[in-house]
Each structure stands twice: as structure tokens, then as C-alpha cells.
């Protein structure tokens, strides 16, 4: 990053969903795992309901999709779905390792570098603040949601702002 003036090194843009979170995903369970449970006579097989047999069947709600840096999509996922910074760091590291593998396959070297997570956390915070401020404008008279008051919304904006101090 120091050779690039502190800017993130470019990665090729990819199709990003930009709102990838559980409510926009349809999942299916591997039916073979259910069959294994039933063969054992255990109709309440706990392993059928864990993540090992779960797969994404479809992704919905594409109106915000665009070609973008994949790191921003990953950061949105880390902020909207994961519960804490350790989980985000784990995902970021795993993605970094995969990008280096893909770079080796594509270019014959590992020239693609995901870099540190911190600048992306700050960028996503600014994105979140802008989104919340647009919602606070109450353009259609309903605000973000009928059960959220303006002070609640301003409290969220203040909370987000404190993350970049």
C-alpha cells in the first residue's frame, strides 16, 4: 500500500450485489443428509439443521447491484451479517488468501493484494452515515420505518460517526 500512495491496490471490478444479507438469500438443505437421518430412525436429526448441509439456492433483491471492488461487498457483508470484529477479520483473512491464490492462477504471480481491513471499515462507515442521513431526510413522509423516530435515527448516525473518530 505504501508504494501506491496509501490507496488500496486495484482489484478487478466484479458484479457486486451490494445488499447481501440473510433476508436476500434463499437456502436449501442437502436432502441426502436428511435421508441419512431418517435411515437411522432419528426423525429429529440435529445435524440436518446445521450449516454443513445448507447451501445458497438463490440470491434475491438485485436493484443495488453494480460492478465494484469486491472488498466493499465483503465489508458490507461483514457489517450487516457478522456480529463482531474478530469474525470480520477472519473472513477478511480468508478472502485475502483466496485472492492471492486466484492471482497466482490468473497472472502467474500474487500481484492482487486485499490489504488491511481498516480503510474499508472507514469507507463502509461513511457509506452507512450517508445512507442513514438520506433516510433522515424523510423524502416520502415515512422516514426509514414507521416505528423508528428521528431521535433514534440521529442516534444511529452519531454512533456510526464515532467509529471514524
Amino acid at each position: 500500500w505504501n508504494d501506491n500512495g496509501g490507496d488500496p491496490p486495484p482489484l478487478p471490478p466484479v458484479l457486486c450485489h451490494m445488499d447481501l444479507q440473510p433476508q436476500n438469500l434463499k437456502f436449501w438443505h442437502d436432502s441426502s443428509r436428511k435421508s441419512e437421518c431418517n435411515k437411522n430412525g432419528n426423525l429429529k436429526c440435529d445435524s440436518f439443521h446445521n450449516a454443513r448441509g445448507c447451501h445458497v439456492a438463490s440470491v434475491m433483491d438485485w436493484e443495488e447491484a453494480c460492478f465494484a471492488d469486491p472488498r466493499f461487498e465483503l465489508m458490507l457483508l461483514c457489517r450487516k451479517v457478522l456480529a463482531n470484529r474478530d469474525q470480520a477479520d477472519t473472513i477478511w483473512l480468508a478472502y485475502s488468501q483466496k485472492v492471492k491464490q486466484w492471482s497466482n492462477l490468473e497472472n502467474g504471480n500474487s500481484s492482487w493484494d486485499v490489504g488491511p481491513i481498516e480503510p474499508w471499515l472507514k469507507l463502509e462507515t461513511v457509506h452507512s452515515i450517508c445512507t442513514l442521513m438520506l433516510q433522515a431526510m424523510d423524502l416520502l413522509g415515512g422516514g426509514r420505518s414507521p416505528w423508528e423516530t428521528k431521535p433514534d435515527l440521529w442516534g444511529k448516525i452519531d454512533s456510526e460517526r464515532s467509529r471514524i473518530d
Side-chain angles (χ1 to χ4, degrees):
W1 283 50
N2 292 334
D3 296 341
N4 203 20
D7 294 331
L11 291 179
V14 298
L15 180 62
C16 293
H17 185 271
M18 302 305 283
D19 193 21
L20 197 59
Q21 48 189 319
Q23 59 264 39
N24 290 331
L25 300 172
K26 176 81 173 165
F27 296 96
W28 65 276
H29 282 99
D30 187 345
S31 61
S32 65
R33 294 191 50 78
K34 188 174 183 180
S35 298
E36 289 172 22
C37 293
N38 290 337
K39 283 180 190 173
N40 296 332
N42 185 358
L43 297 177
K44 292 179 84 178
C45 184
D46 292 333
S47 64
F48 174 66
H49 295 288
N50 70 29
R52 286 184 300 225
C54 189
H55 307 277
V56 175
S58 65
V59 180
M60 301 165 281
D61 196 14
W62 284 87
E63 75 270 4
E64 296 178 24
C66 64
F67 279 95
D69 189 309
R71 293 170 288 197
F72 191 66
E73 175 88 271
L74 183 62
M75 185 51 53
L76 289 173
L77 183 67
C78 287
R79 282 286 312 277
K80 290 181 178 181
V81 178
L82 301 177
N84 61 47
R85 174 65 188 267
D86 288 338
Q87 292 172 329
D89 286 342
T90 299
I91 297 259
W92 196 263
L93 178 61
Y95 182 70
S96 298
Q97 292 167 347
K98 283 293 183 188
V99 164
K100 286 196 182 294
Q101 288 175 349
W102 295 327
S103 179
N104 284 331
L105 293 174
E106 183 81 17
N107 302 327
N109 64 37
S110 51
S111 61
W112 294 342
D113 180 17
V114 172
I117 193 172
E118 286 77 13
W120 297 94
L121 286 169
K122 289 180 180 181
L123 177 62
E124 200 288 321
T125 297
V126 170
H127 173 266
S128 181
I129 289 170
C130 291
T131 300
L132 290 166
M133 289 182 75
L134 283 171
Q135 292 167 351
M137 291 175 68
D138 201 13
L139 295 175
L140 299 175
R144 183 166 195 251
S145 65
W147 59 85
E148 186 170 57
T149 66
K150 290 268 183 161
D152 291 339
L153 199 53
W154 286 111
K156 287 180 180 181
I157 291 169
D158 197 42
S159 176
E160 287 290 321
R161 187 191 51 75
S162 71
R163 294 178 50 221
I164 54 175
D165 287 341

